[in-house]
Amino acid sequence: MLLADVVSTSAAVGATRARTAKTAALAALLRRAEVHEVEPATAWLAGEPRQSRLGTGWRTLSAIDARPAAQPGLQVAEVEEALDALAATTGAGSTARRAALLGALFGAATREEQAFLRRLLTGELRQGALEGVMLEAIAAAAQVPSAVARRAFMLSGRLPATARLALTEGVAGLEAVSLQVGRPVRPMLASPAATLDSALHELAPEASVEFKLDGARIQVHRAGAEVRIWTRTLREITSSAPELVELVRTLPCHSVVLDGETLALTDDGRPRPFQETMSRFGSEAGEELLRPFFFDCLHLDGTDLLDEPLHVRLEALERAVGRHRMPGVLRPTPEEAAELLEGALEAGHEGVMVKSLSAPYAAGRRGRAWQKVKPVHTLDLVVLGAEWGYGRRTGTLSNIHLGARDPDGGEPIMVGKTFKGMTDELLAWQTATFPALAREERGHEVLLRPELVVEIELDGAQRSTRYPGGVALRFARVLRYRPDKTPAEADTIHAVRALLRG
C-alpha cells in the first residue's frame, strides 16, 4: 500500500463532519491493507506514529528542504522502516543522522505526503477523539461487533494491535484479550450531573455516593511483591511514588488491580493544591507524601471483576484495602447524600461521585453510570492557541483559545477565549511552553497543536455565531492545567451546549 492511499484517506476524513462517512473511508483503507501495513496505517490515521520517541520536533522538521517527488511511490512499509530508524537514532552525531534520514524520507514523498508527514510527526494529527471513529472503522473492516473491538482495545490499550487482531483473528482473537495484572486498562470515566438530586433521581436507590477528590487518578497493579502504578493516561509513575508502592505491598492479598486517586495532604488533613500532587509524577521522589484513596477493584487474587456489578467490586475492595477506601455511603437517603456532599466540600474536596451499584466497569467509557457532582461548572477544554499580551502582560502569551472535543473525530471546536485566572507564574509557564507546541503564528496569535488540556470554571454558556460550535462560554476563567488528561478526555461540544440556559 502506498503512503498516498493513507494521505488521501486522511484528507477525506478531515473534509467531512459525518461520522458515518469518516468510518466508511477508514474501514475501506483497512480492508485494502496487507497484514504488516495494518498497524502503522491505523496509528497514522489515528494521528500518532507507533514509535513513542522520534526526536523530530517542529524546529527539526522546519529545517528540511527536500524537493518533493513528482509522483507517489513511497510504500507504507518504507515509511515505517524510516520511523523505526529515527527512533533508534541516539548518541553522538544523532542530530546529523536524524536529519539525513528525514531528508531521504521527505525527498521520496510528494508535496501532499510531505505535508502529511510534517503534521504526523509534530502531533497536529493527534486529535484524540478520532480513536473512537477508528474503533468503529476497525469493527466495520473486520466485520466484528464494535463492542467486542472496543473491549479488546480498552483492555490492551493498543489501537494498532487491536486492528491487526480484528482483521487477522476476528471475534475469537478479540474476545481472547483479557485483563492482565501488570498491563493497565483504560479507566472508566464519569459524566457531569446538573445537581445531586438529578443524579440520585437517575441512579437511586441502588447507588453509592462517595467523595470526589481534587487529586490524581491512579491505577495500581500488584502481583506478589511487584507493584506498578499508572496515571489516567496510562503513563507509568511507579518510581515517582515509592510510598504508594510500599503501602500496596502491605495489603492482605496476593494479586490486585485497584482504581483510585492519590493526593498530598496538609498536616491537618486538607488537600494540597493539585499542582503539588502532579509535581510528584515528574521526578523519582518528592517531599510531599502521597495518600491513596481507592474506589474500585478490578481484580482480586486471581478473579477478574470487570464485569461484576459495582456492589460486588466494592465488597472485594473492602477486603483488599480496608481503611484506604474512598469515603462514601451505599444506598443513601437524599439527606445522607447531601450531608456527604457538604462534608466533602468542607474538607476541601471537589464534590461527590454518584455511581450505579448494578453497573459493570466500562473501561474507557464515559457514561451515566458514574456521575460527578460539583458546586460550580467546570469544563476540561483543549488549548488551541494564545495571544501575545499587552499592557502589564506585554511579552507574555495570554488570552488562550479554548476548544471542545468533537465526538465525531474532527478537530476541537473553538468555544471561547479567556485571560482570567492567570497568575504571573502561569503566564510565565505558558510563554515558555507554548512556542514548542506552535503550529502557526498569525499576527499576535500563536496557534497550537491540540495537546494541552486546561480546566475552566465558567458561569454557563450562551448561543453565539462567533464560534463554529454555535455556543460560547460565559465568564470563563482558568483553574489549572491538566497534565493528567489528554485531548481525548476533554469535554465534548455536547457538554458545552448542555450548559445553555433554557
Side-chain angles (χ1 to χ4, degrees):
M1 175 179 288
L2 292 173
L3 173 63
D5 296 324
V6 178
V7 173
S8 62
T9 298
S10 177
V13 169
T16 179
R17 293 294 301 274
R19 192 181 183 95
T20 53
K22 293 177 189 286
T23 301
L26 294 167
L29 181 101
L30 291 177
R31 289 191 195 99
R32 300 201 311 271
E34 299 290 338
V35 172
H36 65 281
E37 298 168 334
V38 169
E39 291 199 34
T42 299
W44 302 345
L45 288 168
E48 192 165 3
R50 290 200 304 158
Q51 300 79 4
S52 57
R53 295 181 182 274
L54 290 168
T56 53
W58 179 81
R59 292 185 185 278
T60 302
L61 291 168
S62 63
I64 298 173
D65 186 22
R67 177 176 295 180
Q71 298 293 330
L74 261 179
Q75 297 286 330
V76 166
E78 293 178 275
V79 178
E80 184 70 350
E81 288 174 6
L83 297 184
D84 284 339
L86 279 170
T89 302
T90 59
S94 60
T95 300
R97 295 197 303 275
R98 193 176 289 117
L101 285 167
L102 286 169
L105 175 62
F106 275 70
T110 63
R111 190 176 305 279
E112 292 78 11
E113 291 168 342
Q114 286 184 352
F116 175 86
L117 288 170
R118 279 196 173 89
R119 296 183 67 203
L120 175 68
L121 298 179
T122 57
E124 288 187 47
L125 292 176
R126 191 183 302 133
Q127 298 166 22
L130 197 55
E131 256 182 12
V133 181
M134 277 301 307
L135 274 171
E136 293 178 12
I138 290 167
Q143 297 184 311
V144 300
S146 58
V148 176
R150 186 183 304 114
R151 180 179 173 86
F153 169 56
M154 296 310 171
L155 291 177
S156 71
R158 299 189 293 264
L159 189 63
T162 302
R164 178 180 50 76
L165 196 61
L167 288 160
T168 57
E169 299 185 30
V171 171
L174 293 171
E175 289 182 338
V177 179
S178 61
L179 186 150
Q180 291 183 12
V181 179
R183 184 179 68 188
V185 303
R186 295 295 177 106
M188 184 171 176
L189 305 175
S191 295
T195 64
L196 177 60
D197 287 342
S198 67
L200 290 172
H201 178 75
E202 186 172 346
L203 299 178
E206 288 300 303
S208 74
V209 181
E210 62 192 28
F211 278 22
K212 186 184 188 309
L213 305 187
D214 190 19
R217 185 84 172 262
I218 54 171
Q219 187 178 133
V220 176
H221 291 230
R222 173 185 165 189
E226 182 180 2
V227 175
R228 299 176 70 183
I229 306 172
W230 289 269
T231 65
R232 65 182 296 146
T233 59
L234 307 189
R235 178 169 67 93
E236 186 167 4
I237 47 109
T238 305
S239 62
S240 300
E243 67 271 47
L244 298 183
V245 171
E246 290 305 313
L247 184 149
V248 172
R249 282 178 178 152
T250 69
L251 297 178
C253 56
H254 181 267
S255 65
V256 71
V257 176
L258 300 167
D259 197 355
E261 292 209 33
T262 186
L263 74 169
L265 300 175
T266 62
D267 291 340
D268 61 0
R270 296 183 67 81
R272 291 187 179 275
F274 175 78
Q275 288 81 356
E276 292 188 24
T277 296
M278 287 306 300
S279 68
R280 280 292 311 276
F281 298 160
S283 60
E284 291 298 305
E287 296 180 0
E288 304 297 342
L289 290 178
L290 297 175
R291 279 196 56 189
F293 294 84
F294 298 112
F295 53 72
D296 217 322
C297 183
L298 314 186
H299 171 97
L300 182 60
D301 288 336
T303 301
D304 290 343
L305 302 170
L306 279 169
D307 297 323
E308 296 291 343
L310 177 60
H311 70 85
V312 173
R313 304 199 307 274
L314 291 180
E315 291 171 2
L317 181 70
E318 180 65 30
R319 296 196 304 272
V321 306
R323 64 187 179 88
H324 301 294
R325 183 172 165 182
M326 184 74 76
V329 290
L330 299 181
R331 303 177 182 88
T333 64
E335 294 75 19
E336 290 171 331
E339 184 177 344
L340 189 78
L341 173 59
E342 183 179 351
L345 297 175
E346 286 181 354
H349 301 301
E350 286 190 325
V352 294
M353 297 282 293
V354 183
K355 299 179 178 179
S356 167
L357 287 171
S358 61
Y361 191 93
R365 301 297 300 279
R366 187 189 299 275
R368 303 298 296 174
W370 287 12
Q371 298 184 32
K372 50 189 175 184
V373 180
K374 298 195 286 187
V376 295
H377 293 306
T378 65
L379 292 170
D380 294 322
L381 300 173
V382 183
V383 183
L384 304 179
E387 298 172 11
W388 288 104
Y390 55 88
R392 189 179 69 84
R393 295 188 175 188
T394 298
T396 63
L397 282 168
S398 176
N399 203 27
I400 56 176
H401 301 185
L402 302 167
R405 179 165 58 88
D406 180 355
D408 292 327
E411 295 279 353
I413 302 168
M414 191 168 176
V415 291
K417 303 178 182 181
T418 189
F419 56 82
K420 297 178 181 178
M422 295 180 183
T423 64
D424 289 343
E425 291 177 336
L426 186 59
L427 286 168
W429 178 85
Q430 290 181 169
T431 306
T433 303
F434 286 179
L437 301 174
R439 59 182 176 87
E440 182 183 349
E441 292 196 24
R442 186 183 298 166
H444 68 292
E445 297 179 338
V446 178
L447 305 185
L448 306 179
R449 301 194 302 271
E451 295 185 16
L452 296 176
V453 176
V454 65
E455 186 175 0
I456 298 295
E457 182 180 272
L458 64 159
D459 185 53
Q462 61 189 21
R463 301 186 189 282
S464 172
T465 58
R466 182 177 182 182
Y467 300 116
V471 63
L473 309 178
R474 287 171 48 87
F475 306 110
R477 63 185 299 274
V478 173
L479 282 181
R480 60 189 177 182
Y481 278 83
R482 296 301 303 254
D484 59 324
K485 291 191 175 183
T486 68
E489 297 177 286
D491 285 301
T492 67
I493 187 65
H494 299 325
V496 180
R497 290 172 180 156
L499 298 177
L500 288 170
R501 295 179 177 177

